[in-house]
């Protein structure tokens, strides 16, 4: 399976490297990148690894979020109709632009609620570099700590009627009233997902285009 995946990515990189690599796409930028100290280019393996990160972490997870959001909208026709009306009002039948995203507020709320119920990264691992005590629990250095957005996003003390699909949970006032890490589909802190903002942008545009 690994060889098959590598072959797909290597073929993409090879095809792009045969063409003019002066574009602004991801692979062109990776091919043109140089170490600021040595001037050396990235190795083939480094380029492959970077592409794999974007393909798997930035593509599969967003498609999973979109799948569940569309599923939930399909099961809640009133919400779907409201989202559709917003999209029609904002876009007027044209394709969405980046400037439209700030006005697609209900659409974004629906995506966020979809990721609350079905976070693509439902379990996250972190390595404790130093011993620490959190809420009375001793975590030895070298321990792996598992965090679960899935479980946290369904805590009834944080999310009343947690199984219910309700995009209104993400109205600005409601978001500000909740603890910071009541919702963390992209993890958080220094190890938070670097592509979180891009993923939300991509998801809102995709939902607006589909509906």
């Amino acid at each position: 399976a690994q060889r098959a995946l590598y072959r797909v990515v290597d073929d993409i990189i090879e095809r792009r490297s045969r063409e003019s690599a002066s574009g602004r796409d991801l692979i062109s930028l990776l091919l043109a990148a140089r170490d600021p100290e040595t001037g050396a280019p990235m190795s083939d393996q480094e380029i492959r690894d970077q592409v794999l990160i974007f393909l798997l972490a930035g593509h599969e997870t967003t498609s999973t979020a979109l799948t569940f959001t569309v599923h939930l909208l399909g099961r809640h026709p009133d919400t779907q109709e409201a989202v559709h009306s917003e999209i029609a009002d904002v876009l007027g039948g044209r394709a969405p632009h980046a400037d439209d995203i700030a006005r697609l507020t209900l659409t974004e709320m629906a995506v966020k609620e979809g990721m609350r119920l079905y976070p693509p990264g439902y379990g996250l691992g972190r390595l404790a570099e130093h011993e620490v005590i959190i809420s009375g629990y001793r975590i030895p250095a070298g321990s792996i700590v598992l965090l679960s957005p899935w479980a946290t996003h369904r805590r009834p003390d944080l999310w009343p009627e947690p199984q219910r699909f309700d995009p209104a949970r993400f109205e600005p006032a409601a978001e500000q009233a909740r603890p910071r890490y009541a919702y963390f589909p992209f993890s958080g802190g220094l190890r938070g997902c670097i592509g979180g903002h891009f993923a939300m942008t991509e998801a809102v545009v995709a939902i607006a285009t589909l509906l």
Side-chain angles (χ1 to χ4, degrees):
Q2 185 185 61
R3 285 196 300 271
L5 189 58
Y6 282 0
R7 189 160 55 248
V8 169
V9 174
D10 289 344
D11 286 347
I12 294 171
I13 295 170
E14 182 184 359
R15 187 165 62 249
R16 193 69 191 90
S17 62
R18 286 199 306 264
E19 302 167 0
S20 171
S22 59
R24 300 296 296 172
D25 60 279
L26 174 66
I27 294 177
S28 293
L29 293 172
L30 291 171
L31 290 168
R34 295 295 181 268
D35 186 301
E37 295 179 359
T38 67
M42 299 176 74
S43 69
D44 291 344
Q45 181 176 342
E46 287 172 326
I47 294 175
R48 174 206 283 161
D49 288 345
Q50 294 296 326
V51 173
L52 281 169
I53 286 172
F54 276 84
L55 183 65
L56 298 177
H59 176 82
E60 187 269 340
T61 49
T62 305
S63 67
T64 299
L66 288 168
T67 297
F68 280 112
T69 300
V70 171
H71 165 76
L72 288 163
L73 288 172
R75 292 178 64 88
H76 298 82
D78 291 345
T79 304
Q80 179 174 322
E81 181 58 34
V83 172
H84 190 276
S85 295
E86 175 184 79
I87 293 167
D89 290 344
V90 172
L91 301 184
R94 59 173 172 77
H97 301 154
D99 294 341
D100 298 319
I101 294 171
R103 299 165 60 203
L104 294 170
T105 53
L106 180 58
T107 308
E108 181 178 357
M109 287 158 54
V111 172
K112 287 181 175 180
E113 176 70 342
M115 287 196 296
R116 180 189 70 82
L117 284 164
Y118 299 103
Y122 49 83
L124 308 168
R126 291 292 182 265
L127 179 67
E129 293 186 344
H130 310 286
E131 181 174 317
V132 65
I133 296 177
I134 299 177
S135 297
Y137 291 92
R138 186 179 71 89
I139 301 174
S143 298
I144 294 177
V145 180
L146 296 179
L147 307 161
S148 176
W150 174 283
T152 304
H153 293 178
R154 291 166 181 262
R155 278 178 49 171
D157 58 328
L158 298 171
W159 306 93
E161 297 182 75
Q163 304 285 355
R164 182 168 57 89
F165 177 65
D166 181 11
R169 299 179 197 270
F170 291 93
E171 290 177 349
E175 282 193 291
Q176 292 171 10
R178 277 191 297 270
R180 180 179 180 184
Y181 288 116
Y183 180 73
F184 58 109
F186 299 109
S187 187
L190 294 175
R191 302 299 181 195
C193 175
I194 195 172
H197 179 74
F198 174 75
M200 280 302 303
T201 300
E202 185 179 31
V204 170
V205 167
I207 292 293
T209 303
L210 287 167
L211 290 188

